[in-house]
Amino acid sequence: MDLGISGKTALVAASTGGLGLAIARALAGEGVRVAVTGRRLDRAKEIAAELEADGHHAIGIEADLSTPAGVATAVERSVEALGPIDILVLNGPGPKPGAAATLSADDIAAAFELLVKPHHALVSHVLPGMRERRWGRILAVGSSGVVAPLPNLAVSNTGRAALAGYLKTLAAEVALDAVTVNMLLPGRIATDRVAELDQAAAKRRGTTVEEIQLESRKTIPARRYGEPEEFGAAAAFLCSAPASYITGIALRCDGGLIRSL
Ligand SMILES: NC(=O)c1ccc[n+]([C@@H]2O[C@H](COP(=O)([O-])OP(=O)(O)OC[C@H]3O[C@@H](n4cnc5c(N)ncnc54)[C@H](OP(=O)(O)O)[C@@H]3O)[C@@H](O)[C@H]2O)c1
């Protein structure tokens, strides 16, 4: 299927690794000119160079998206290098674990600082141009916790639910301008972060990483973790021209992990 986005531009937040990188690669593979961003400039540039070597067009930008200045820099440099942004991918680090019963006021503030504010700031910079040009794709990386809150991830569940509410409201407001707003929810995709989480769980429980992974795979109907490329492909479709009538959804990419409809 021709995704019809060759020549479009994309700013992919937090794309020097993991899911963001998989999305950047998938979009570049469709001919999208991609801004790869993260705190590590050397890694961002390295990825951009790899994509360029494969015949794609990409730039690497250093941006700490936890600060308003970092968000502004990412947008400015992307526009300078690539032109107006057609596709905005919202992504960032996950918060620390913790129970809801012991959540502090600072934890609640942190949920918004980490999981809502940077994404809202990026949207505020980019959305007006998309609406003017009457074409845009906004896609946020969420978590299966948006559908089924995950135990001991209270900050994540709180912040991501808030983000989902914001984006769902926004989707209806900008649909007439041909801007779609969606979320893609990973279950368990094999990134460095997931590997680190499994290692931490093994240490905490005095067992092996293999044992933790086996237990985890048993909860997934597909009996395996997803590959970043599978997640990237789903993301590229949601950012595509043929996905023009899909907006306001939260699509799961989880091998069947979430059992509810
Ligand atoms: N993988 C999964 O199965 C899964 C499941 C549920 C939810 N999620 C969520 O999906 C998101 C991405 O997960 P992942 O597995 O891809 O994580 P990851 O492998 O740890 O990658 C995180 C990315 O975020 C960048 N980053 C971190 N802090 C940043 C900052 N302040 N500003 C800009 N970039 C920053 C990192 O690059 P730099 O170090 O260069 O900044 C890296 O590129 C997270 O929020 C995670 O909680 C993932």
Side-chain angles (χ1 to χ4, degrees):
M1 181 192 280
D2 178 4
L3 294 191
I5 45 177
S6 183
K8 297 277 187 199
T9 60
L11 166 52
V12 185
S15 47
T16 49
L19 303 179
L21 174 56
I23 296 173
R25 283 188 173 135
L27 289 173
E30 294 300 324
V32 175
R33 297 176 303 127
V34 176
V36 176
T37 64
R39 293 163 305 173
R40 290 168 294 163
L41 179 61
D42 51 346
R43 186 68 189 121
K45 282 189 163 169
E46 197 180 358
I47 293 162
E50 279 167 22
L51 291 172
E52 291 266 342
D54 285 345
H56 308 310
H57 190 49
I59 55 153
I61 298 172
E62 178 181 357
D64 182 344
L65 299 171
S66 65
T67 68
V71 169
T73 302
V75 174
E76 272 163 30
R77 300 224 174 118
S78 301
V79 172
E80 250 168 46
L82 305 174
I85 297 162
D86 301 309
I87 298 168
L88 174 63
V89 178
L90 307 172
N91 182 38
K96 61 175 187 171
T102 51
L103 212 59
S104 68
D106 284 350
D107 292 332
I108 290 286
F112 274 77
E113 283 296 326
L114 191 71
L115 296 169
V116 182
K117 279 176 79 174
H119 304 322
H120 167 263
L122 278 167
V123 169
S124 301
H125 279 280
V126 174
L127 181 64
M130 287 179 171
R131 297 185 83 178
E132 254 172 48
R133 295 188 304 280
R134 299 186 68 79
W135 201 97
R137 298 284 181 267
I138 296 173
L139 178 69
V141 174
S143 161
S144 62
V146 169
V147 182
L150 293 155
N152 206 41
L153 278 175
V155 174
S156 174
N157 294 334
T158 304
R160 293 190 203 277
L163 180 67
Y166 161 60
L167 294 175
K168 180 70 183 169
T169 313
L170 182 65
E173 292 172 10
V174 300
L176 212 50
D177 296 322
V179 177
T180 69
V181 184
N182 293 299
M183 290 186 93
L184 186 56
L185 312 181
R188 221 161 164 76
I189 313 291
T191 63
D192 288 351
R193 174 179 160 81
V194 165
E196 282 163 21
L197 289 173
D198 284 347
Q199 271 159 17
K203 202 171 163 193
R204 205 171 50 242
R205 292 173 41 193
T207 182
T208 62
V209 175
E210 289 70 27
E211 195 53 43
I212 294 289
Q213 288 174 343
L214 189 67
E215 252 180 49
S216 193
R217 285 201 299 269
K218 278 186 191 157
T219 67
I220 305 169
R223 293 288 184 265
R224 62 178 179 86
Y225 290 2
E227 294 300 326
E229 293 72 21
E230 294 176 298
F231 192 83
F237 175 72
L238 287 174
C239 294
S240 73
S244 49
Y245 202 57
I246 300 176
T247 194
I249 69 158
L251 179 72
R252 304 160 200 181
C253 183
D254 68 356
L257 175 71
I258 300 298
R259 304 303 171 111
S260 62
L261 279 174

